[in-house]
Amino acid sequence: MPFRLVFALGALAALVALFAVDLGAQTVSEAKLVSATRWYGGDDTAFGGFSGIEVSDDGATFVALTDRGHITRGKLLRESGVITKVAHSKLKKLTSPRGIALRGAWTDSEGLAVSPNGDVYVSFEVAHRITKYVRGQAKGQDIPDNPATKRMAGNSAQEALAIHPDGTLFMIPEGSDKQNNPHTLYRLRPGSKTWDTQFTIPRHRPFLPVGADIGPDGRLYVLERHLGSVLGFTNRVRRFDIAPDSLTNETILLQSKVGAHDNLEGLAVWRDQDGLIRLTMISDDNFMFFQVTEIVEYVVPDSASAKTDHLTKTQ
């Protein structure tokens, strides 16, 4: 969700409690910060407002999405596993199914997911839809509508998007921190035209979901954020096992201090050469001079990684 200045100032005037009480969730030792790297776009006016990121299996390349309908690919240059530099191609405008560059309200792209074969899926707010961009093709293909989006607010809807290796799509609306009911996880199975709502995610206010990914261990990872104070944002990452009829083993992997990072909105999960799960996140600077674009990376403690040799399948 674009966090515009007026909205941010309004939120500061009505702050709620900083940290949520996470009843029922296991908390592991805090994930270790590996790097927090500033990313600069030079004189490219399209650079900024990043809302999604996906990273290759080896952590070397990435795809990043802005909330104004631009996408780019790049490389994460590393030394001893630590990101030292970010290189990227020119940002390109996403297109409609007719091949026309997106404009106006149609550009509010928020969620990003990349399938194993390279197809790119993007979720949009305001003009609610999810579009598939087949690898090697510029024109987008709108996938079956989710009727529930008609009841969602224009600027707090299809925020987090993830895809399972079997092709199942998962979407989590951002919603509002004024509610107490669980977050609904919408699921679209391969070949289906109907979204189901079999899964829910416990809501622990005031955090709201802004990013998601299916890790190499077959688990669902959810990035959440909260505007904590005038000092900035706090972020949290939760992990869930995907059981046939529910999400289980809720675990809090990370909860950052206020101001530790900027407005983290995109999440990519992969396994490094040491066999550890890495959480790579990107911040949305809202095109504001007082915010920054950064790529932040954490490694999950070995005790919490619990490697699996097969991917959990949705039923």
Side-chain angles (χ1 to χ4, degrees), residues 125-271:
E125 289 185 327
V126 184
H128 300 305
R129 67 199 188 282
I130 296 177
T131 302
K132 175 182 179 181
Y133 295 89
V134 175
R135 184 174 183 177
Q137 299 182 18
K139 295 183 180 180
Q141 302 175 7
D142 289 341
I143 67 172
D145 288 338
N146 182 349
T149 59
K150 296 179 181 179
R151 303 188 299 273
M152 297 177 187
N155 206 31
S156 58
Q158 299 187 109
E159 187 79 18
L161 191 66
I163 188 168
H164 193 278
D166 69 4
T168 299
L169 278 176
F170 297 93
M171 186 275 290
I172 311 170
E174 183 177 12
S176 168
D177 65 357
K178 296 181 181 180
Q179 304 175 29
N180 292 314
N181 52 304
H183 297 288
T184 299
L185 176 65
Y186 294 90
R187 179 177 64 172
L188 182 68
R189 302 187 189 191
S192 176
K193 295 184 179 180
T194 304
W195 292 81
D196 68 55
T197 57
Q198 188 166 349
F199 297 146
T200 59
I201 298 175
R203 180 192 298 264
H204 303 310
R205 297 170 58 189
F207 288 91
L208 294 174
V210 290
D213 198 14
I214 302 295
D217 52 5
R219 291 163 166 163
L220 173 67
Y221 291 74
V222 180
L223 169 64
E224 299 168 295
R225 61 106 185 271
H226 168 56
L227 179 58
S229 73
V230 292
L231 298 178
F233 297 86
T234 177
N235 295 93
R236 180 174 67 184
V237 176
R238 284 191 286 170
R239 182 186 67 194
F240 300 86
D241 288 342
I242 304 175
D245 57 358
S246 64
L247 298 177
T248 63
N249 297 327
E250 176 189 0
T251 303
I252 301 170
L253 298 176
L254 164 69
Q255 187 161 310
S256 67
K257 294 181 180 179
V258 175
H261 307 297
D262 208 286
N263 177 29
L264 299 181
E265 280 205 10
L267 169 68
V269 183
W270 55 286
R271 198 188 299 280

Side-chain angles (χ1 to χ4, degrees), residues 104-118:
W106 292 88
T107 64
D108 192 4
S109 46
E110 294 293 342
L112 173 69
V114 180
S115 69
N117 68 359

